Amino acid sequence: MEAQHAAALSSLIGDATRVLAQPQVVEQLSRDCYWYSPVLRRLLDGKAGEIVVQAVGVGEIQDVLRYCYAHDLPVTVRGAGTGNYGQAVPLKGGVILDLAGMDRVEEIRADGVAECEPGARLGVVENEARKAGWELRCYPSTVVKATVGGFLGGGSAGIGSVTHGALRDFNTVRAIEVVTMESEPRVVNHEGEAVHEILHAWGTNGVISRIWLALVPAVEWSQCAIAFDTFDAAFDFSERIANEESWVKRLVTTFEWPIPSFFTPVLRHAPDSKALIFFMIASAQLAALESAGRAAGGEITYSGSYGGLRAIPLLSNYTWNHTTLWAIKADAAYTYLQCGFDPARVREQMRQLKQRFGSELLFHMEFMKNGEGRMIPGAIPLVYFTTEARLNEMIDLCRQIGVFVANPHVNNVEGGGRYRADNVQLLAKRRYDPKGLLNPGKMITFESDNVVRGATTL
Ligand code: FAD
């Protein structure tokens, strides 16, 4: 980048310490967790921005975007950089707009809505909400680090989704304010259905500058781990608890052996060769869950009250995509898929996958409600990676047998499986980023101007 841009950005921000050009720092803040995918590693290693600007207010975001628009500089927004699809990795250099410093939780409203800046950590929002008698509806397993803006921009679901669906469901995101990438950047509010124009668009169609998130009344939670001799028995029990509305739950995660053997800090709760289920359940129902588990042939290997996000053990630290992280720590050949099974055919679908791929594909199930209120056996199965061709065979078979795949080995919004079939994210990009300077290369329909039909199911 020409030196004049660095100097101009520094003077716009008025604080040179928040404009970073040291190559090592820029490189570090250009990366996210794309390396969980061997395919993305090959595509994205070495990609970096040219300068980092750490904005701390809407006015500064507008100043930076105005300058970048005038000088045709690409801008990639960054929260905490925990995304797995390489969403926050700039493909065309330019400015990394780091919003981690815009981290205020402005208000937990009496009607159960959190108003936050984009860099607010989800863990902080959860803690603040609980102090006021509320809690997040759903959060990723990266809750402590991940930002609200990054979750809206690149995430989708997590702990809590078994009851409250994904982030995009049930009006959980009440409103989003974005700053546009135009000659005179505007601040535009999106409410109701209009939030879907911005959700999961990877920062390609506006910079999220404020969020209103719906909460739910806080529950006193407990954690429980139950082991079963077979995966089938564990799956049956977890499916039953997930489906029965009377259970007040935040997490129902089922692991095929040997996945539990990767969880080194909690191995004493993971008996050899057994399938394992991790639950977050209302404390008032813990004893009943234990009895039901025993009656179904399970062994309670851990049970205790949940002391918040610092609890030890914190079972959610082994669920959602943290499961993949523990597997990679055990053997770097592991990677993953993100799937949604058909509740009516899940056993047959699992049987077909097992028959073809054996232990190359290990079941890690995450039950979650979809937007119609139906319980979906979601899954983040582990894949023992050998070649890209073999990985694609797995994805192909999944799709042939009706298993939805949000492919985590592609680096564009459309390929990731949550591109909206009504193209609203693309239409917003045309309005708010006419030059295509926001995270260029990540919304390929904009570049090819060629509308594709996607599906949004997991
Ligand atoms: P970043 O990675 O910084 O950004 C994500 C995307 O959003 C990027 O495209 C970025 O450009 C864009 N963005 C960031 N801020 C803004 C903004 N203000 N305006 C517009 N665009 C913006 N995801 C889940 O959904 N559920 C899980 O349970 C889950 N578990 C995970 C576990 C592990 C171990 C890891 C590594 C990842 C996991 N993820 C999960 C993915 C990721 O952690 C989440 O999606 C997280 O919410 C991303 O937040 P972040 O602040 O790190 O965002």
Side-chain angles (χ1 to χ4, degrees), residues 33 36 77-84 87-88 99 118 140-142 146-147 149-151 153-158 202-203 206-208 320-322 325 439:
C33 293
Y36 283 33
V77 197
R78 179 182 179 84
T82 67
N84 289 113
Q87 297 107 309
L99 298 184
S141 55
T142 46
T147 65
F151 191 35
S156 94
W202 296 17
V207 176
I208 299 170
W320 290 84
N321 222 7
H322 267 77
L325 179 59
N439 210 355

Side-chain angles (χ1 to χ4, degrees), residues 43-65:
L43 275 178
L44 299 178
D45 272 353
K47 300 274 186 223
E50 293 158 275
I51 197 164
V52 177
V53 179
Q54 298 178 315
V56 292
V58 176
E60 285 188 355
I61 297 176
Q62 286 177 294
D63 290 343
V64 172
L65 297 191

Side-chain angles (χ1 to χ4, degrees), residues 87-373:
Q87 297 107 309
V89 178
L91 298 179
K92 304 205 171 146
V95 174
I96 306 283
L97 184 59
D98 177 356
L99 298 184
M102 259 177 98
D103 62 355
R104 279 194 304 251
V105 179
E106 300 283 11
E107 191 183 1
I108 304 295
R109 287 187 348 210
D111 60 346
V113 173
E115 179 181 343
C116 345
E117 290 190 313
R121 308 281 160 165
L122 285 158
V124 173
V125 184
E126 164 79 358
N127 289 339
E128 290 299 310
R130 286 188 75 85
K131 281 186 210 160
W134 300 94
E135 65 185 27
L136 290 171
R137 290 184 177 187
C138 74
Y139 55 83
S141 55
T142 46
V143 56
V144 173
K145 255 183 143 182
T147 65
V148 184
F151 191 35
L152 266 62
S156 94
I159 294 103
S161 293
V162 66
T163 297
H164 302 294
L167 189 57
R168 65 182 162 269
D169 298 323
F170 307 121
N171 201 17
T172 291
V173 180
R174 286 286 154 86
I176 308 177
E177 176 190 276
V178 291
V179 183
T180 64
M181 179 53 137
E182 298 173 286
S183 57
E184 194 43 63
R186 291 173 290 148
V187 179
V188 185
N189 201 26
H190 291 69
E191 284 181 41
E193 271 302 293
V195 301
H196 297 290
E197 298 173 4
I198 307 301
L199 275 181
H200 208 81
W202 296 17
T204 59
N205 62 11
V207 176
I208 299 170
S209 49
R210 191 165 290 259
I211 297 114
W212 289 262
L213 268 188
L215 307 166
V216 282
V219 171
E220 194 194 314
W221 295 109
S222 284
Q223 308 184 94
C224 186
I226 309 185
F228 285 83
D229 287 343
T230 64
F231 176 73
D232 288 351
F235 182 80
D236 288 349
F237 185 68
S238 55
E239 184 192 51
R240 190 183 115 201
I241 302 300
N243 277 325
E244 286 175 9
E245 286 284 332
S246 55
W247 295 102
V248 179
K249 59 225 168 223
R250 213 178 192 186
L251 186 69
V252 179
T253 310
T254 313
F255 307 106
E256 177 182 1
W257 182 265
I259 297 176
S261 72
F262 304 144
F263 305 157
T264 36
V266 291
L267 279 183
R268 65 187 181 285
H269 310 304
D272 198 40
S273 301
K274 294 203 175 187
L276 198 60
I277 315 173
F278 283 172
F279 292 100
M280 275 182 86
I281 193 91
S283 296
Q285 295 182 332
L286 180 62
L289 181 71
E290 290 178 26
S291 307
R294 283 194 199 96
E299 175 194 346
I300 315 303
T301 63
Y302 176 78
S303 128
S305 62
Y306 162 77
L309 295 170
R310 289 177 188 272
I312 297 176
L314 182 62
L315 296 187
S316 61
N317 266 352
Y318 304 87
T319 66
W320 290 84
N321 222 7
H322 267 77
T323 308
T324 315
L325 179 59
W326 289 105
I328 293 173
K329 281 185 189 176
D331 184 334
Y334 277 111
T335 185
Y336 69 113
L337 287 177
Q338 294 184 167
C339 300
F341 285 79
D342 178 340
R345 292 190 292 142
V346 53
R347 287 172 180 75
E348 175 57 18
Q349 290 171 326
M350 290 196 296
R351 192 194 61 73
Q352 284 179 279
L353 285 165
K354 245 332 164 204
Q355 191 177 36
R356 172 91 164 268
F357 298 109
S359 60
E360 276 177 83
L361 192 133
L362 298 175
F363 290 125
H364 155 207
M365 312 303 291
E366 294 288 352
F367 285 91
M368 58 182 294
K369 213 174 251 179
N370 73 8
E372 287 81 53

Side-chain angles (χ1 to χ4, degrees), residues 19-31 46-52 96:
V19 179
L20 315 171
Q22 304 90 315
Q24 269 177 328
V25 175
V26 175
E27 198 182 311
Q28 194 193 344
L29 291 173
S30 297
R31 288 170 63 87
K47 300 274 186 223
E50 293 158 275
I51 197 164
V52 177
I96 306 283

Side-chain angles (χ1 to χ4, degrees), residues 91-92 204 411-414 419 426 429-430 433-451:
L91 298 179
K92 304 205 171 146
T204 59
N411 188 231
N412 54 70
V413 178
E414 293 86 343
Y419 180 74
L426 170 67
K429 184 164 177 75
R430 289 198 186 131
D433 180 27
K435 284 189 176 179
L437 292 168
L438 288 176
N439 210 355
K442 304 287 175 65
M443 192 181 281
I444 49 174
T445 41
F446 178 82
E447 259 117 294
S448 64
D449 213 28
N450 184 8
V451 174

